[in-house]
Amino acid sequence: MCECPDWASLTLGVFVCQACSLLHRSIPHITRVKSVQDTWDASEVELMAAMGNTAAKAKYEQKVPAFYYRPTHTDCKLLREQWIRAKYERNEFEFIEKQEPYSAGYREGFLWKRGRDNGQFLSRKFILSEREGALKYFNKQDARDPKAVMKVETLNATFQPAKIGNPCGLQITYLKDNSTRNIFVYHSDAKEMVDWFNAIRAARFHYLQVAFPGASDEELVPKLTRNFMKEGFMEKTGPKHTEGFKKRWFTMDDRRLMYFKDPLDAYARGEVFIGSKENSYTVLAGLPPSTQGYHWNHGITIVTPERKFLFACETEAEQRDWIAAFQRVINRPMRPQEYAVEAHFKHKP
């Protein structure tokens, strides 16, 4: 997880980066950190030599489930801190029975969910059932019928603390009638929220094992959950290119480019499929010379087999980042199942 391990935990015998050293400091009863630049006495050096990162990993990570998310230095604080606590404070990966909250195939509990229309967060009952292949939530505690049924097949979860305004904020997406639906949830207990996240990953893992019986764990794990490739505001115009440009929030989720009026909208105003260069998709910097009605000066044109999509970014840096994200997708050959998704977009009214 650590990029530049220039700190050490004297109690655990592992080297960590500065960011992780701050997280280790939050559990002083388990770990005591020290900079490698400080003066060390012989006993401290001996302790580090006796353990070290390889031996510590063999001990503290001996039974990490394949589906369990191992955070990197780019992940949010919540995931990194709970990974450290799971390893060193709760010893979850030494004793399999401690993994029951996310490994049992069934999870039930209450999460604060953002209301679609009024934006208020209200307590809602959620049930995740691998047997039913679905995550459900209920508007009333004693309700028999769920408000929504989210199939594990299309389920995704990604932590969005800044966007949701809560350190435990999780964005859950799923497909409903082949359009993306967002729900935004959080829990006041960090462990609870990460357990929900890993329970979703476990359900996805077991679903994919059945769907792709010959696939290895290494092939399946990257498909469990995904972070969005890029998000942010751009301006867009309509299909005739004569309407004024409107500011919208854009989310690039694999080959789906979605736009919303507000970042926390439940449904996208529209979705654009981004195919590959072999299928005549290209991205260009700038807008056609005749274009009018934009306020931001850094244009992007996406050319698809059907039409051109015009966008404008506020800064040159944003334009560069968006073009790089689009180019990564366009450069990747399409998988067989993506042709079916493309066909659906072509037949949308």
Side-chain angles (χ1 to χ4, degrees), residues 73-115:
H73 67 281
T74 59
D75 280 302
C76 65
K77 180 186 173 187
L78 174 81
L79 277 170
R80 291 183 291 117
E81 182 177 343
Q82 288 304 308
W83 169 244
I84 289 168
R85 287 183 180 273
K87 283 199 291 184
Y88 303 124
E89 185 179 44
R90 300 192 291 267
N91 304 107
E92 282 180 28
F93 310 125
E94 296 171 66
F95 306 100
I96 286 178
E97 63 270 18
K98 293 190 175 186
Q99 300 170 14
E100 196 267 345
Y102 44 81
S103 293
Y106 181 89
R107 186 173 173 84
E108 184 177 316
F110 287 85
L111 296 172
W112 293 97
K113 178 194 168 290
R114 187 180 191 272

Side-chain angles (χ1 to χ4, degrees), residues 155-341:
L155 204 56
N156 186 43
T158 176
F159 279 100
Q160 297 272 18
K163 187 164 145 184
I164 295 171
N166 186 288
C168 299
L170 186 73
Q171 180 173 350
I172 297 171
T173 64
Y174 64 101
L175 291 183
K176 185 178 180 182
D177 303 323
N178 212 46
S179 292
T180 305
R181 167 87 159 91
N182 297 322
I183 63 170
F184 302 94
V185 297
Y186 72 85
H187 195 287
S188 55
D189 184 289
K191 179 186 182 300
E192 277 284 309
M193 204 65 255
V194 175
D195 283 351
W196 270 106
F197 176 64
N198 280 302
I200 289 170
R201 286 177 61 85
R204 291 268 307 146
F205 183 60
H206 297 137
Y207 162 78
L208 290 170
Q209 282 182 316
V210 174
F212 304 98
S216 66
D217 290 358
E218 290 72 24
E219 289 172 298
L220 297 181
V221 166
K223 296 180 170 72
L224 302 186
T225 54
R226 62 194 179 275
N227 294 327
F228 300 134
M229 294 183 73
K230 180 158 175 61
E231 289 194 288
F233 283 107
M234 289 193 291
E235 291 183 331
K236 68 167 288 291
T237 186
K240 295 178 182 174
H241 302 169
T242 53
E243 307 93 327
F245 278 66
K246 292 176 180 173
K247 182 180 171 183
R248 293 288 181 256
W249 177 264
F250 283 82
T251 296
M252 185 76 186
D253 183 12
D254 199 36
R255 291 198 184 274
R256 286 175 183 261
L257 177 66
M258 300 168 277
Y259 56 91
F260 306 84
K261 195 169 183 181
D262 183 273
L264 296 176
D265 281 349
Y267 293 98
R269 291 293 179 98
E271 301 189 34
V272 180
F273 181 85
I274 310 290
S276 66
K277 58 187 177 186
E278 290 87 355
N279 299 83
S280 305
Y281 289 82
T282 54
V283 58
L284 308 167
L287 299 170
S290 59
T291 311
Q292 295 179 326
Y294 54 88
H295 308 94
W296 291 346
N297 294 320
H298 306 281
I300 298 174
T301 301
I302 292 182
V303 183
T304 77
E306 272 68 50
R307 56 168 280 202
K308 290 179 180 178
F309 292 89
L310 309 184
F311 309 108
C313 302
E314 189 172 16
T315 66
E316 192 177 339
E318 275 288 289
Q319 178 199 40
R320 197 166 50 241
D321 289 349
W322 274 110
I323 288 175
F326 294 140
Q327 202 64 62
R328 278 202 305 277
V329 173
I330 287 169
N331 286 345
R332 196 178 73 219
M334 279 168 62
R335 299 190 298 269
Q337 57 267 39
E338 290 174 333
Y339 283 97
V341 178

Side-chain angles (χ1 to χ4, degrees), residues 37-78:
Q37 308 296 331
D38 291 345
T39 305
W40 288 51
D41 61 42
S43 64
E44 292 171 335
V45 174
E46 282 172 25
L47 187 146
M48 296 303 294
M51 181 57 96
N53 288 42
T54 303
K57 185 171 183 173
K59 178 186 178 185
Y60 294 109
E61 298 181 30
Q62 58 185 280
K63 294 173 182 171
V64 182
F67 61 78
Y68 194 97
Y69 187 77
R70 296 169 179 258
T72 70
H73 67 281
T74 59
D75 280 302
C76 65
K77 180 186 173 187
L78 174 81

